[in-house]
Amino acid sequence: MSHSPEFSRRIPLSRVGAGTEETVTATPQEREALARRFGIPAVHHLECRFVLTPESKTEILAQGRLSAKVTQECVITAEKFDDVLAETFVLRFIPESQMPEDEFDIDSINLDAPDDVPHDGRALDIGEAAAEQLALMLDPYPRLPGAGLENAVDVAPVEGEEGDDQSEDLPESERRPNPFAALVGLKNGDKKE
């Protein structure tokens, strides 16, 4: 990892024992740094509860429940709006040495298995794990509730269906030319010099 995590909460492996519960909450400075990282206007609240259960001496199963309040920008109206997020997830912390290389066989991925997250053999960074889960929860194309594309055209109009600009009542000289007519001409071999 080339950057220092904005929201780091390292839990020593020895503290996990036979199992433990941990809750992490981001400070205002950490939330501000995470908002910059995710390219959103603000993170107002971020809290995550983990239930950590050892599967072996080095592998830890983590069941999490994340809640957050963020401000996002609508891709349709460009207005800022608040969104409340809540989700459960399951991860498996494994030693960095057991992480697969950059190249992997996509057919061998088990989509039902928990995602593997590396640890350094000394501690689990559950804060960074929570931040990564928040990143996955953020809608890449956020829309303000009620904002829609009601007036968008789903299909190109057929000639004669364009509306007022191509009204049958207008004389030919006042009609807007169909931009696709030239393409039809080129397809049929017509050339205008």
Side-chain angles (χ1 to χ4, degrees):
M1 201 177 289
S2 60
H3 75 282
S4 175
E6 298 86 352
F7 177 40
S8 181
R9 296 291 188 282
R10 291 175 56 83
I11 303 299
L13 278 173
S14 60
R15 191 155 115 195
V16 174
T20 188
E21 290 187 22
E22 300 284 342
T23 299
V24 293
T25 305
T27 67
Q29 295 80 13
E30 290 166 333
R31 294 193 312 265
E32 187 177 317
L34 287 170
R36 281 193 303 273
R37 172 177 168 184
F38 300 144
I40 61 175
V43 176
H44 303 286
H45 171 77
L46 172 58
E47 182 174 280
C48 192
R49 182 177 150 269
F50 286 89
V51 176
L52 303 171
T53 308
E55 291 190 325
S56 70
K57 288 184 179 181
T58 58
E59 295 184 7
I60 308 296
L61 189 70
Q63 296 172 295
R65 170 109 178 109
L66 186 144
S67 63
K69 182 178 179 184
V70 299
T71 298
Q72 293 190 277
E73 190 171 302
C74 178
V75 295
I76 296 171
T77 65
E79 293 176 72
K80 294 178 182 175
F81 67 98
D82 290 340
D83 197 7
V84 176
L85 308 170
E87 193 170 290
T88 59
F89 58 91
V90 180
L91 302 172
R92 179 177 291 111
F93 286 95
I94 65 172
E96 290 173 344
S97 60
Q98 292 180 21
M99 289 296 288
E101 297 296 323
D102 289 341
E103 293 182 23
F104 60 90
D105 179 12
I106 196 158
D107 296 328
S108 68
I109 297 175
N110 180 354
L111 297 176
D112 295 325
D115 289 337
D116 291 335
V117 177
H119 68 75
D120 61 9
R122 298 184 304 275
L124 314 174
D125 194 342
I126 61 175
E128 175 60 12
E132 290 174 0
Q133 286 302 308
L134 175 59
L136 292 172
M137 290 170 63
L138 291 172
D139 187 342
Y141 303 103
R143 284 185 15 189
L144 180 71
L149 300 174
E150 291 83 13
N151 298 324
V153 177
D154 291 333
V155 293
V158 176
E159 187 154 347
E161 293 183 352
E162 289 86 354
D164 294 338
D165 289 340
Q166 289 289 355
S167 172
E168 294 293 326
D169 299 333
L170 292 175
E172 185 74 31
S173 62
E174 293 181 26
R175 291 186 190 173
R176 189 179 76 188
N178 184 333
F180 298 105
L183 294 175
V184 172
L186 289 173
K187 181 180 175 186
N188 295 331
D190 298 341
K191 292 184 181 178
K192 290 188 177 181
E193 296 294 330

